[in-house]
Amino acid sequence: VQDLPGGPSVNQLNFAAPVTKIAEEQHWLHWMMLIICTVVFIAVFAVMFYSIWKHRKSVGHKPATFTESVTVEIVWTAVPFLIVILMALPATKVLVAQKDTTNADLTVKVTGYQWKWGYDYIKGEGEGLSYISTLDSSQRAMSDAGKPEGDNYLLKVDNPLVVPVGQKVRVITTANDVIHAFMVPAFGIKQDAIPGFVRDTWFRAEKTGDFYGQCAELCGKEHAYMPIHVKVLSAQDYAAWVVAEKKKQSAKADDPSKVWALDDLSKRGEKVYAANCAACHQANGKGAGAIKPVDGSAVVLDADKSKQIAVLLNGQNNGAMPAWKQLSDTEIAAVITYTKNNWSNKTGQIVQPAEVLAARK
Amino acid sequence: MSSAAHGTTPYYYVPHESRHPVMAAIGLFFVILGAGQWINGADWGMYSLYFGLVWWLTVLYQWFKEAVGESEGGMYGRKIDLSYRWSMTWFIFSEVMFFGAFFTALWWARSHSVPALGSLENALLWPDFKAAWPSLVAGATTSPAGIIEPFQTMGPFWLPTINTALLLTSGVTLTVAHHALQHGDRSKTIKFMWMTVLLGVTFLFVQGYEYAHAWGDLNLKLSSGIYGSTFYMLTGFHGFHVLVGMLMLLFITLRLQKGHFTKERHFGFEGAAWYWHFVDVVWLGLYILVYWM
Amino acid sequence: MSAVLDHHDHAHDDHGHAPAGWRRWVYATNHKDIGTLYLLFSFAMLMIGGVLALGIRAELFQPGLQVVNPELFNQFTTMHGIIMVFGAIMPAFVGFANWMLPLQIGASDMAFARMNNFSFWLMIPAGAMLVGSFFMPGGAPAAGWTLYAPLTLQMGPSMDAGIFAMHILGASSIMGSINIIVTILNMRAPGMTLMKMPMFAWTWLITAYLLIAVMPVLAGAITMTLTDRHFGTSFFNPAGGGDPVMYQHIFWFFGHPEVYIMILPAFGIISQIVPAFARKKLFGYASMVYATSSIAILSFIVWAHHMFTTGMPVTGQLFFMYATMLIAVPTAVKIFNWIATMWRGSMTFETPMLFAVGFIFVFTMGGFTGLILAMAPIDIQLQDTYYVVAHFHYVLVAGSLFALFAGFYYWVPKWSGVMYNETRGKIHFWWSLISFNVTFFPMHFLGLAGMPRRYADYPMQFTDFNMVASVGAFFFGFAQVYFFLFVVVPTMRGQGEKAPQKPWEAAEGLEWEVPSPAPFHTFENPPKLDATATRVIG
Ligand code: HEA
Ligand code: HEA
Ligand code: CUA
Ligand SMILES: [Cu+2]
């Protein structure tokens, strides 16, 4: 295994190499703390071990009888007090800087889903772009097999978050189901993504390159499998990427009024299922443990198609089955059609995107 | 204790081995086992829960009976009396902290989470949500997702105000009873104790009626968003404490009728009275924070 | 119980003076027996929690999933935390309190002997529910020991079992604490003024106060979780106006004092042991009392240092950062007082002292990493990484657990009447100390490098340190098995040298004024004490 540039190094001993001012400051603070603490530690325990060595009974040391000294007590209350004030001063400065999310050049909304990240560019160059970023599925398979390899093991995603270098990027976090946390060590950021609420943080990357992080708040069974990959591009490259991405997205956008044939829609649904549903319901649709099977499920087999549509749009059981409204109408229609016609489910029913659109309120 | 060997109250009374604690724990085992299963839809859980409760209450009855016997048998000296006072004080403190958690939830929701949900920032997620606390703005639901059925809030008039009067009066009657006991006027004590108990019972009936009214007429339910959640949890836990306090007073009254307690020594009475006053104070908090504001 | 009581009619059988057979334990009202029960229970829980930890470490030995799947892994993590905190460490200290407090303050027993036993027996159904939850549909709770909403709302039925179990444990703790406070406040022998009380009693007095203040708050938080799960409330559901972060505030208002609940009695034990083996009185007794109280008071206003990444206003972050860093000051006073107690003493290093010195040394490392975490800008990097895991195992394992070991070796002669084997004690100490550091020291590096906690699998670059940690964990685990088989079991069987009344030359306190093993009843009449309240004079 080699070091992963922008990600962890082999047997790394300290913070990731900083790529933002804030991360640099954190680095500096940490060194300061480490040095002060080490010095105090050595000083304190030098005294203790000296005493342990010199004042042993076995060398015939006789116990002294002093038990109290107000002066000494005051001194050793005051000194630590001064030390912590000394530590707090620079920390305050960094903290205030790190919370200042005003005047951003680019604002991206980051949404945590079980178990992937959604990126929406909501202000600045690239406004309107929106996509989902998921762990590369071969990585998950390697994990299950217990035989991982590669320097970017568990960090490889399909669509990285792309940002321009040297620009202030404001990251607004939120979540769809449970709390996640958006963390990129090289940038010195970590911000919880809380369902129903927005929070924010910011970074200004000073180098181009690839930088990695992972979800840092327990969010269920696939918590370890929702990495973050940020690609920092030069201004020109970023502009080019935005143009290309816009094209790609408009080409991919499905027309919700299109009427599909069952086979095509089911094929499309198979992909949606693999990317979103299989993590819980399993590829064989049987579910596992507390997770209900899709194969043979009454709701799936029901002739009233609106029931299953409602479950996908709104979730069920307090979000144990999360809402999937972030998927497009076509994707939802496709995956429903797929589940209605796969495994032992042979209903022959087809759900058109228009029906999903109608069911959204 | 050997100091008691001289025929007086022991310096400190340490009871024999007793089967009550382990029995009580067994009862509670069935309670939590059953409760956990029942709310997940297993019917046998209900039987386990009730079985456990009955078991537990039976054990408590025996336990308290034994303790009362010891008390009346003169086993409890001045030290024990003081121990009971301390323990009741700390127990009430723990109850204060318990209610504190729910009052905090109310405060946090009102002055933090609901406004935050309706803030400019959050418009990104809930563009149409106007944050307003339901008791301030008619028709507000505190639900950004619009998933909550419309409901009306519960104002202070008249049921909660009647209840306030009931509880305050009961505090007075209880104090009268206490004074009577201190003056050795047992029949007056008992009379006023019964009044106190009755006031407590009436309170519970009024609250039951209030709930029926809220649920049925106002469509105010546990599921009415954070307003309904805090409303029912606060008033509900309070009501439960009224029930417990009322039962305490009831047993004290029955004991008074049996001739228990003396004018100098009656901590059982006082402990129940402290508890009742505590319940009273919590109610005043509720009355102001939940109903008026 | 003496003859007096026997001519009162009791509903149950009368066993006269010497209780025997199973009834002695199951129906116990004797503080010593109940203390023993607590200690045995907590050791069993330490084993169960430890086996779960070894499950975690086995899975993390190398990247990729080899031993458990991620669901089960999260269950292991969660139940490891809950069982260790509520099942092992807390009851162990209560066990010490039961055994030692009445002896130390010259009382005949705990204030409420039956309630005392009730507190103990409540732990059994709760513990059974917790361990049993692994066998429920969907497995054990897997939302972390902190049980953050809304993840808890997605858990299966075992979550409810867990919540009810925690309710029961809370009730047990509250009753236990009331018992302890009342015993200390009301049952001291005449002459044992508060400021002459042994430090262990002082720390427990303050701990019990903390417990009564925060256990009900935890009960409130998990009750809200319960109603959100089943009764349609919206406490933590933003769609209904609630807030998941509210759970965290309520939880940590409990959670932070909780961690001091697990360390203050440890401080008390160390404060007993260090003077005994330095043959010199505790330095700065009064300042120790004030420092302990300050820690307890401050502990109520620092909770949000666990929440720096939830995105609170900068003023909030600053407040909680400063308040947290302030706790280093009273803790510093404690450390310095211990060292000043050793200074110019006449020290010997039997096992209790070894563990005490080890405690001071290693706990301070954990304290310093705590201080580093308290710096909000740094915590942004470290929150929810293995650095935090390293921090709290330094203070909990090398702190609380080592102090418990120290206390065990110090007092076991009084409990069992026999001396433990000194060589074995020393082996246990060095084996534990070394393997502890091998296990948890590398976790600092993992955390700095950004390895998140509660991860079933990790990037390849983290492999080596994880391997070291896993190997260390097994060695540490076996050290505890050794301790059980070769130290605990022999003393329980009464094998070993007979213990004198006061095995430690300079130990002070009333517990050394009664024979070893301590007779079933002690101080049935309040003893007359000398001016220092450390000797019985009549
Ligand atoms: C016994 C338990 C215990 C104890 C005693 C402590 C003690 C401290 N803890 Fe720790 N802590 C935990 C148990 C404990 N902690 C647990 C379980 C968690 C994780 C919970 C979870 O998320 O699951 C946690 C997490 C935790 C966090 C959150 C980390 C995160 O999740 O991001 C923080 C942050 O501030 C913190 C800080 C501190 C501090 C400042 C102290 C201080 O009290 C330490 C004070 C001691 C010293 C400082 C050393 C001695 C002093 C000197 C020798 C004097 C000279 C010193 C100077 C003035 C420099 N702790
Ligand atoms: C309170 C005390 C306490 C104690 C004593 C311990 C003890 C140990 N803990 Fe701790 N731990 C916590 C409290 C504690 N822990 C908490 C609160 C968490 C957070 C949980 C969460 O994130 O929610 C945590 C989390 C935690 C993690 C992180 C898990 C994760 O984030 O996914 C790890 C990982 O290594 C770990 C390891 C260990 C180890 C190796 C020990 C060792 O000290 C254990 C030693 C082992 C034994 C004492 C067992 C001895 C018995 C045997 C060896 C029997 C052998 C039998 C057979 C072979 C059949 N613990
Ligand atoms: Cu998402 Cu952890
Ligand atoms: Cu804390």
Side-chain angles (χ1 to χ4, degrees), chain A residues 1-4 8-16 23 26 29-30 32-34 37 40-41 44-45 47-52 55-58 61-69 72-73 76-77 80-81 84 87-88 91-92 94-96 98-99 114 140 142-155 177-179 183-192 194-197 199 214-226 288-290 317-320, chain C residues 62-66 70-71 74 78 137-138 142-144 148-151 153-154 156-157 228-230 238 242-245 248 278-287 308-314 317-318 321-322 325-326 328-329 332-333 335-337 339-340 342-349 357 360-362 364-365 368 371-372 375-385 387 444-465 505:
Chain A
V1 204
Q2 304 293 309
D3 297 352
L4 177 66
S9 312
V10 178
N11 299 342
Q12 183 182 330
L13 297 178
N14 201 344
F15 284 151
Q26 291 169 343
L29 274 181
H30 180 249
M32 178 198 83
M33 289 298 287
L34 204 58
C37 290
V40 175
F41 191 84
V44 170
F45 286 98
V47 176
M48 186 178 91
F49 282 112
Y50 175 86
S51 172
I52 285 178
H55 308 148
R56 273 175 299 157
K57 190 182 181 197
S58 52
H61 196 274
K62 291 277 170 306
T65 54
F66 63 89
T67 59
E68 208 144 35
S69 159
V72 173
E73 297 281 355
W76 70 40
T77 310
F81 187 67
V84 294
M87 292 166 166
T92 306
V94 181
L95 188 62
V96 172
Q98 139 183 314
K99 288 293 281 185
Q114 282 170 320
R140 187 67 185 79
M142 275 196 276
S143 181
D144 267 339
K147 297 234 174 340
E149 42 188 85
D151 296 342
N152 58 355
Y153 173 61
L154 291 189
L155 298 170
D177 28 53
V178 299
I179 305 177
M183 156 176 97
V184 184
F187 297 167
I189 59 170
K190 179 181 293 139
Q191 177 57 58
D192 287 3
I194 297 155
F197 290 82
R199 294 291 201 271
Q214 288 175 293
C215 175
E217 182 67 59
L218 179 58
C219 55
K221 70 188 183 68
E222 303 288 298
H223 169 48
Y225 304 103
M226 50 182 295
N317 297 341
N318 280 321
Chain C
Q62 56 185 70
L65 301 172
Q66 290 87 16
E71 288 105 308
N74 289 348
T78 305
Y148 276 9
L151 190 55
L153 305 185
Q154 296 185 355
D228 268 15
R229 281 169 59 79
H230 291 287
D243 183 355
V245 177
Q248 298 184 17
R279 291 168 180 71
K280 192 162 149 283
K281 278 201 166 31
L282 183 66
F283 185 85
Y285 174 92
S287 72
F308 284 140
T309 59
T310 55
M312 51 182 132
V314 68
Q317 291 195 328
L318 286 174
M321 176 170 92
Y322 297 152
M325 297 182 76
L326 223 49
V329 177
V333 171
I335 305 268
F336 296 153
N337 278 337
I339 292 178
M342 293 186 210
W343 186 253
R344 293 181 50 211
S346 172
M347 275 182 277
T348 51
F349 296 93
V357 173
I360 298 174
F361 188 75
V362 195
T364 303
M365 291 169 71
F368 279 136
L371 204 55
I372 290 173
M375 306 268 282
I378 304 181
D379 185 65
I380 296 296
Q381 284 274 12
L382 295 176
Q383 208 277 330
D384 258 318
T385 66
Y387 195 88
H444 292 112
F445 300 128
L446 289 171
L448 287 165
M451 174 169 161
R453 60 193 280 209
R454 298 162 171 171
Y455 261 30
D457 194 4
Y458 51 83
M460 310 282 279
Q461 286 83 357
F462 300 135
T463 310
D464 292 354
F465 285 136
E505 191 184 336

Side-chain angles (χ1 to χ4, degrees), chain C residues 234-302:
Chain C
S234 305
F235 288 105
F236 310 131
N237 176 10
D243 183 355
V245 177
M246 178 168 90
Y247 175 84
Q248 298 184 17
H249 280 292
I250 303 178
F251 178 85
W252 287 116
F253 183 83
F254 147 81
H256 187 82
E258 166 70 18
V259 306
Y260 291 118
I261 286 165
M262 291 186 282
I263 205 67
L264 293 183
F267 288 169
I269 293 175
I270 301 303
S271 298
Q272 304 284 148
I273 292 174
V274 170
F277 294 89
R279 291 168 180 71
K280 192 162 149 283
K281 278 201 166 31
L282 183 66
F283 185 85
Y285 174 92
S287 72
M288 284 301 230
V289 172
Y290 302 140
T292 312
S293 316
S294 314
I295 294 175
I297 292 164
L298 283 173
S299 75
F300 286 110
I301 56 164
V302 300

Side-chain angles (χ1 to χ4, degrees), chain C residues 169-244:
Chain C
L169 288 175
S172 156
S173 281
I174 291 171
M175 286 190 285
S177 304
I178 291 178
N179 222 332
I180 286 169
I181 294 195
V182 174
T183 305
I184 294 177
L185 290 182
N186 195 33
M187 299 192 58
R188 278 169 289 127
M192 175 70 71
T193 62
L194 282 178
M195 290 309 273
K196 284 180 190 162
M197 244 177 11
M199 271 316 287
F200 181 65
W202 253 114
T203 52
W204 243 116
L205 178 64
I206 293 167
T207 303
Y209 158 72
L210 285 180
L211 273 166
I212 298 179
V214 300
M215 289 311 289
V217 177
L218 172 68
I222 57 179
T223 304
M224 291 182 217
T225 304
L226 186 77
T227 59
D228 268 15
R229 281 169 59 79
H230 291 287
F231 303 107
T233 57
S234 305
F235 288 105
F236 310 131
N237 176 10
D243 183 355

Side-chain angles (χ1 to χ4, degrees), chain A residues 160-221:
Chain A
L161 173 65
V162 181
V163 297
V165 73
Q167 306 269 317
K168 183 161 183 179
V169 181
R170 176 169 177 234
V171 176
I172 297 184
T173 61
T174 186
N176 186 53
D177 28 53
V178 299
I179 305 177
H180 304 262
F182 186 78
M183 156 176 97
V184 184
F187 297 167
I189 59 170
K190 179 181 293 139
Q191 177 57 58
D192 287 3
I194 297 155
F197 290 82
V198 295
R199 294 291 201 271
D200 63 356
T201 184
W202 69 278
F203 65 88
R204 189 195 298 274
E206 300 189 327
K207 269 199 276 222
T208 58
D210 294 288
F211 302 99
Y212 299 89
Q214 288 175 293
C215 175
E217 182 67 59
L218 179 58
C219 55
K221 70 188 183 68

Side-chain angles (χ1 to χ4, degrees), chain C residues 7-31:
Chain C
H7 55 239
H8 280 278
D9 290 322
H10 287 286
H12 55 265
D13 309 356
D14 210 336
H15 305 291
H17 203 88
W22 60 271
R23 284 191 178 82
R24 168 173 175 187
W25 301 100
V26 178
Y27 293 172
T29 46
N30 181 283
H31 70 102

Side-chain angles (χ1 to χ4, degrees), chain C residues 43 46 355 401-410 428 432 480 483:
Chain C
F43 200 82
L46 180 74
F355 269 106
L401 192 60
F402 275 22
L404 286 162
F405 289 147
F408 171 85
Y409 286 105
Y410 183 59
H428 176 216
S432 295
Q480 309 327 316
F483 169 63

